[in-house]
Amino acid sequence: MQHTIHFHQASAQALNDDVLQHNLQKSNNLFVDKRKKAIDEFVPFENFRTQAAQIKQSVLDDLDQWLLKFESQAIDNGAEVLWATDAEEACQLVANICHQVKAKKIIKSKSMLSEEIELNKHLLSNNFTVIETDLGEYVIQLAGDTPSHIVAPMVHMNREQVSTLFTQHHHTPPTNDIQQLTLEARAQLRKHFISADVGITGANFLIADTGSAVVVENEGNARLCMTLPTTRIILAGIEKIIPDTDAAALMISLLPRSATGQKISNYISFSTKPHQPTDDNPADGPTRLIYILIDAGRSQLLQPDSRDMLRCIRCGACMNHCPVYQNIGGHAYGWVYPGPMGSVLTPYYIGLKQAKELPFSATMCGACDHVCPVKIPLTKLLRNLRQKVIHQEGTNTIEKLSLTLWNWLCHKRWRYQLATRIGRLLMRMLGDSSGMIRTIPGNPWTKTRNISIGNTPQTFMQWYEKHQQS
Amino acid sequence: MKNTNSHSRQRVLKRIRQSLNKPIHGSPSDRHPPTPVHPITDFSELNKETPHHTQRLKHFIHAAIANQCTTQQIGSRQQLPEAISTYLREKPLPSTPSINSPRQIWGWEEFHPLDWVSANIRFQSEKIDRQISTENTIGLTSTTYAIADTGTLLLQSHPSQPLATSLLPETHIAVVHHDQIHHHLSDILSNTLISHIDNPQTVLISGPSRTADIEQTLILGAHGPKYVHLILITNESSPQKPQ
């Protein structure tokens, strides 16, 4: 997928979308407040954050060896392990498996990686029926939409929109009762769970020592995907490896608290081997377990100046605390991953040219750095990307001229001093008697804010030289 | 040999090694590679918060209730059928069957020998019917471990202990013995107890299934059980688990 992301245009549209703004305002503080309460109650949080960052980093520094360890253990457990260099290959591998087992219906739990590789589109073009089973993803699928958050995919929608979709697709009466809507989805999806041939899940973590996949969820749909169908495919990025069960316990203490403010998510499943088929009854899980380890740009991200980003455990805390994301939602970021982590990943995964506006989407306030449970230096990564964009793509004519002028002014002290004195004069002309500039024609800042210029009669250098003499 | 796409495998490994500035061809021992040095995980900060082991039951109940579970305490397994009968009598149901007709429960084989008839319960220990209604159905399981800190159950899949029993019905009743309760997840997932996730599937369950996808409003019973009822056995130790 090579489309260009027009972030500035999309964010302006998002700000003018009243329904979106109403829906975002309802949800914004909830994630922040719940996380804060959970972290405040968890004394070891900072210690565990440091350890989690170190553990993930040490695995990334030897990623080839850890992947081989995982593969070796998984194969010894009776699972199959396939590797995909890119999105297209990953989709083809999934389709091949589904053809091989003569699947008609495929059920999926939430997987952002599957969104990255556009798996559903590929499977539908191969005439498979694909059903998203996470409630939010199911609603998104019915709407023909895309997720706007990596943990809460339909945070941009409201109950009325859900009711309209259910009435249209289920032919049921409309309702604004959220419990009723949830029960309706439960009943509809249970039929699909029972009749599916293949279950596809992602993996929050892959444990190298035991050859296990860990899936963290609240609804139970992932458990159903990994219990009822006879074939299960696990899609995992190559960066998902952690060394052992101790690391798993550590990550599990950080992920739910950072994502939703829960001490622990409702269901955490460890899948280690295929189930044995039984003669008279279906097995309690898939008799065929297949991992697809997907690169799709991750090996490139592994280079030293961007490796930190692969520590991400997809909690969503960065976007929940981002003042930009809070005001525009996820779709304005134009691809699978929104917010600060998306602003770093998207340029690397789809191309700097296509996503050159995203590194500039941040205010660089640093909230994301502060809340990341694996201490990814997101602002540093964004700054690096900004430099890359300027070097590779250049900048616009006005900015070039402005910087050239600034460069010329700064080269000689007298030029700089003259410029600041002219600037001070202009400020006095624009300001009023109270020391405020209330309007600058054509400048959007002063539409909602004033600029204080104070009542100081001299420049700082004038004041400094005067005081030096005295 | 389950790995059937060695060409892609080699390409991915080569790219990884290039980014890591390592030799790109790996070694002949790639099929059984030496494990890199394990980073050590230190849980001592967590263990500072651990209360005395005699408090574990109380903490577990407190955490389970916070997860929207209900709880009961009994002395021994023999009391289980009557305890369940009491729970079901008090449980509100959208459509209550005749007060005298037996309630049906799907349960693990280990509970079969108990006296269900006297409690007016029809107990079935064969594999749960996958077509069962999502309403008014009850599954009964035991647990391998429980975690006091988070009110969590650890269940492991086994032919006589299908996890589907804890997933498909509307109500999940779980039996927990006092000696199965540990304080933290790290106590039971540590490397020294690695066999605990050697079963095909192990699951941690912390209350009824839930979702807050629609307007961040919490609703119980998304896809899994809407009710989780824990029966704690305080005077008996847990039986041996099947291997």
Side-chain angles (χ1 to χ4, degrees), chain A residues 83 89 186 245 266 284 299, chain B residues 3 5 8 19 163 189 210 224:
Chain A
W83 301 63
E89 185 174 6
R186 176 190 171 98
T245 50
N266 222 70
D284 190 36
S299 57
Chain B
N3 182 355
N5 65 343
S8 297
S19 289
L163 293 182
L189 267 189
R210 64 196 66 210

Side-chain angles (χ1 to χ4, degrees), chain A residues 26-27 30-31 42-44 47-48 51 55 58 60-69 71-72 75-76 78-85 89 93 133-136 152-155 157-160 162 178-179 181-183 186 189-190 193-194 207 209-210 212 218-221 223-224 226-228 232 238 243-247 249-250 252 262-275 278 281-284 295 299-300 302-304 307, chain B residues 1-5 7-9 11-13 15-23 26-27 29-46 49 63 67 126-127 130-135 147-150 152 154-155 157-159 161-170 185-186 189-192 194 197-217 219-226 228:
Chain A
K26 271 186 167 181
S27 64
L30 285 175
F31 284 124
F42 188 54
V43 170
N47 176 286
F48 277 23
Q51 289 194 60
I55 289 168
S58 72
L60 292 170
D61 291 344
D62 266 312
L63 187 60
D64 56 330
Q65 292 299 105
W66 284 108
L67 279 165
L68 291 171
K69 172 70 183 175
E71 179 196 50
S72 172
I75 289 174
D76 286 348
E80 298 162 59
V81 180
L82 300 172
W83 301 63
T85 54
E89 185 174 6
L93 286 170
T133 62
D134 172 85
L135 174 59
M154 54 167 283
V155 72
M157 298 178 74
N158 58 38
R159 70 184 81 181
E160 287 82 15
V162 176
I178 292 178
Q179 171 141 14
L181 290 168
T182 306
L183 288 178
R186 176 190 171 98
L189 284 165
R190 185 58 73 96
F193 284 126
I194 293 166
I207 304 177
D209 268 7
T210 58
S212 309
N218 284 304
E219 292 185 15
N221 62 298
R223 282 188 68 194
L224 286 161
M226 65 179 82
T227 299
L228 298 181
R232 178 184 172 196
I238 54 174
D244 51 31
T245 50
D246 274 353
L250 188 85
I252 286 165
Q262 292 170 279
K263 278 179 90 167
I264 193 165
S265 298
N266 222 70
Y267 300 119
I268 301 175
S269 301
F270 298 79
S271 306
T272 303
K273 49 180 71 168
H275 292 248
T278 59
N281 275 320
D284 190 36
D295 182 350
S299 57
Q300 190 66 20
L302 194 58
Q303 291 187 357
R307 191 177 303 170
Chain B
M1 174 63 180
K2 302 292 185 186
N3 182 355
T4 55
N5 65 343
H7 178 67
S8 297
R9 178 178 182 270
R11 279 184 72 194
V12 174
L13 287 170
R15 288 176 186 172
I16 289 172
R17 285 164 180 154
Q18 280 171 333
S19 289
L20 296 177
N21 204 22
K22 284 184 171 187
S27 74
S29 61
D30 269 2
R31 174 60 181 91
H32 291 285
T35 306
V37 174
H38 273 62
I40 304 294
T41 311
D42 175 12
F43 291 107
S44 56
E45 283 291 316
L46 191 62
E49 301 287 308
N67 290 342
E126 62 264 26
K127 282 261 177 61
R130 290 177 172 199
Q131 304 284 341
I132 59 163
S133 167
T134 64
E135 293 178 6
I147 303 166
D149 184 38
T150 50
T152 301
L154 184 149
L155 274 65
S157 179
H158 183 273
Q161 297 184 337
L163 293 182
T165 310
S166 70
L167 180 59
L168 293 177
E170 187 187 47
L185 175 61
S186 50
L189 267 189
S190 69
N191 286 341
T192 57
I194 203 168
I197 63 169
D198 199 35
N199 296 66
Q201 195 151 300
T202 295
V203 67
L204 301 173
I205 298 173
S206 305
S209 145
R210 64 196 66 210
T211 182
D213 270 345
I214 304 178
E215 293 188 13
Q216 305 311 302
T217 302
I219 303 290
L220 300 181
H223 297 293
K226 192 174 175 186
V228 174

Side-chain angles (χ1 to χ4, degrees), chain B residues 113-173:
Chain B
L114 297 173
D115 180 11
W116 297 101
V117 173
S118 302
N120 200 24
I121 291 174
R122 193 185 313 134
F123 181 86
Q124 285 186 248
S125 61
E126 62 264 26
K127 282 261 177 61
I128 195 164
D129 178 5
R130 290 177 172 199
Q131 304 284 341
I132 59 163
S133 167
T134 64
E135 293 178 6
N136 299 338
T137 46
I138 302 157
L140 174 65
T141 73
S142 59
T143 54
T144 305
Y145 290 111
I147 303 166
D149 184 38
T150 50
T152 301
L153 312 173
L154 184 149
L155 274 65
Q156 292 178 284
S157 179
H158 183 273
S160 65
Q161 297 184 337
L163 293 182
T165 310
S166 70
L167 180 59
L168 293 177
E170 187 187 47
T171 298
H172 171 209
I173 302 176

Side-chain angles (χ1 to χ4, degrees), chain B residues 83-100:
Chain B
I84 293 176
S85 181
T86 303
Y87 165 67
L88 294 176
R89 270 199 305 274
E90 293 165 4
K91 186 172 154 38
L93 290 171
S95 57
T96 309
S98 158
I99 198 158
N100 289 323

Side-chain angles (χ1 to χ4, degrees), chain A residues 76 100 272 278 341 356 358-359 365 377 408 467 470:
Chain A
D76 286 348
Q100 196 185 57
T272 303
T278 59
M341 54 89 77
K356 65 181 180 183
L358 285 183
C365 67
W408 179 78
H467 281 77
S470 61

